[in-house]
Amino acid sequence: MTRIALLDDWQRVARTSADWSPLIARADVSFFEMPFTDEDDAARHLAEFEIILVTRERTPFPSTLVARLPKLRMFGLTGARAGLIDIAGMISRGITVCHTGGGPSVSSTAELALGLMLAAARQISAGDVAVRDGRFQVGTQAGSLLDGKTIGLIGLGRIGARMAAYCRALGMKVLAWSQNLTAEAAAAAGAVRTEKDELFSTADAVSLHLVLSDRTRGIVGAADLARMKPGAILVNTARAPLVDENALVAAVQSRRIFAALDVFYREPLSPDHPFARAPNVVLTPHLGYSVIEVYREYYQHSVENALAFLDGKPIRVLQSAGN
């Protein structure tokens, strides 16, 4: 039987999010519920599989790993973008690469960005710990109000525009910037287009909503973080490499700003990482798309894609890394 690996089911939701029985009847399906320790570990576990189905970009698939998977014939990813996966290299090797729909991930990611901003502003994580420790308010700090404050959005696409609407509902002034953003497009989303330097120096919270690319990698650097107001909040639910990690570590260790992060350079985040030890950082384990409504579409489409490939009629096939 064809061997199929479903990777990255760290929340153990794949089996209940779709009907796998038609696929299990025709193939040997293995579910991997823990991350690999490194590329060698991934290569050892995956060398015998002909179909690999992954969840977003939890496991990197650089060209060096793909070259060590001689039996791989089909690769399925959830969504259609994957910065940590060598899609072009797979296609050049004759591997069929299929994608899924994204489900309501625009809403789920924007909702999480809002939640992280609120958690940082009101010290919600610390308050939760205090109550569980029996201290109640003792040892907690007063938070800050968001009504009347300014949010700066780096990127005003679908997720950024949804975040703009949420922030306006809180009574916040909304500023926005990206390299191609026009004043008219910003106004249509209820925001004011401003220059990047002004946004960082003016906003009480900055939220990132850009696609990671060569042009946007490291787009937030030490100079940008230095412009932020003392006590301002940086929210990142997009991609970690948008921000210079060393600069962000230095900024939070200085206690000048708060950070609210859902994405990291290496996932899972090590408990020894400076972010994990900083009291002015709110952390979530890459939950932006991780809602059951999104998982249902991801995994049902993954099953359909694998079945269609076994039938010799692949669907949702990517023709290039950008399509």
Side-chain angles (χ1 to χ4, degrees):
M1 297 179 76
T2 299
R3 296 194 65 188
I4 300 176
L6 184 284
L7 307 188
D8 312 317
D9 186 22
W10 299 349
Q11 291 187 294
R12 294 166 173 76
V13 297
R15 298 172 195 262
T16 57
S17 296
D19 181 5
W20 293 87
S21 58
L23 191 58
I24 290 173
R26 297 179 58 184
D28 179 6
V29 181
S30 298
F31 293 82
F32 288 80
E33 297 176 340
M34 294 294 291
F36 301 116
T37 55
D38 53 27
E39 184 177 311
D40 289 340
D41 189 34
R44 281 193 299 271
H45 280 91
L46 301 176
E48 299 301 314
F49 287 93
E50 296 159 90
I51 296 176
I52 295 176
L53 308 175
V54 303
T55 305
R56 295 296 294 179
E57 301 170 62
R58 293 176 179 173
T59 298
F61 275 84
S63 59
T64 50
L65 175 56
V66 176
R68 300 168 71 179
L69 305 176
K71 296 188 177 181
L72 182 61
R73 296 190 294 130
M74 178 205 153
F75 187 91
L77 63 143
T78 51
R81 290 196 185 101
L84 299 179
I85 297 173
D86 183 21
I87 296 173
M90 290 186 192
I91 294 172
S92 70
R93 289 173 175 270
I95 298 167
T96 300
V97 180
C98 301
H99 67 94
T100 72
S105 56
V106 168
S107 296
S108 66
T109 304
E111 287 178 7
L112 185 70
L114 174 66
L116 283 169
M117 181 176 67
L118 287 165
R122 298 301 299 273
Q123 305 282 300
I124 291 175
S125 299
D128 177 83
V129 171
V131 174
R132 295 176 190 276
D133 285 350
R135 294 183 285 111
F136 211 65
Q137 287 191 354
V138 175
T140 64
Q141 296 181 353
S144 59
L145 191 67
L146 292 174
D147 185 9
K149 299 292 179 61
T150 298
I151 177 74
L153 301 176
I154 304 296
L156 198 61
R158 293 185 299 161
I159 298 173
R162 186 64 61 90
M163 182 66 167
Y166 295 160
C167 292
R168 290 199 313 276
L170 292 178
M172 301 184 77
K173 178 182 178 181
V174 181
L175 304 179
W177 175 86
S178 71
Q179 290 154 320
N180 297 324
L181 182 65
T182 65
E184 293 76 18
V192 176
R193 202 272 186 196
T194 188
E195 294 302 320
K196 182 185 175 192
D197 291 357
E198 181 182 354
L199 183 149
F200 273 93
S201 62
T202 303
D204 300 286
V206 176
S207 188
L208 308 184
H209 301 286
L210 292 173
V211 173
L212 181 63
S213 66
D214 290 341
R215 188 171 65 163
T216 62
R217 187 179 300 273
I219 200 164
V220 177
D224 302 303
L225 299 174
R227 291 187 182 95
M228 295 180 71
K229 296 178 178 180
I233 303 164
L234 181 77
V235 181
N236 192 0
T237 56
R239 288 293 181 269
L242 294 172
V243 184
D244 180 325
E245 184 179 42
N246 290 332
L248 183 56
V249 168
V252 297
Q253 286 183 333
S254 73
R255 306 292 178 90
R256 282 195 64 255
I257 66 170
F258 290 88
L261 308 174
D262 186 50
V263 289
F264 310 95
Y265 271 74
R266 178 165 179 80
E267 298 178 2
L269 182 73
S270 168
D272 295 325
H273 193 284
F275 291 151
R277 300 195 301 267
N280 52 328
V281 178
V282 178
L283 304 171
T284 49
H286 205 153
L287 297 179
Y289 61 84
S290 300
V291 295
I292 193 62
E293 293 84 356
V294 171
Y295 279 135
R296 284 172 182 155
E297 182 161 317
Y298 278 178
Y299 291 126
Q300 189 57 48
H301 283 187
S302 294
V303 171
E304 294 169 3
N305 291 347
L307 287 171
F309 181 81
L310 293 176
D311 289 337
K313 301 176 181 178
I315 58 175
R316 303 188 186 98
V317 177
L318 288 175
Q319 302 300 327
S320 67
N323 179 21

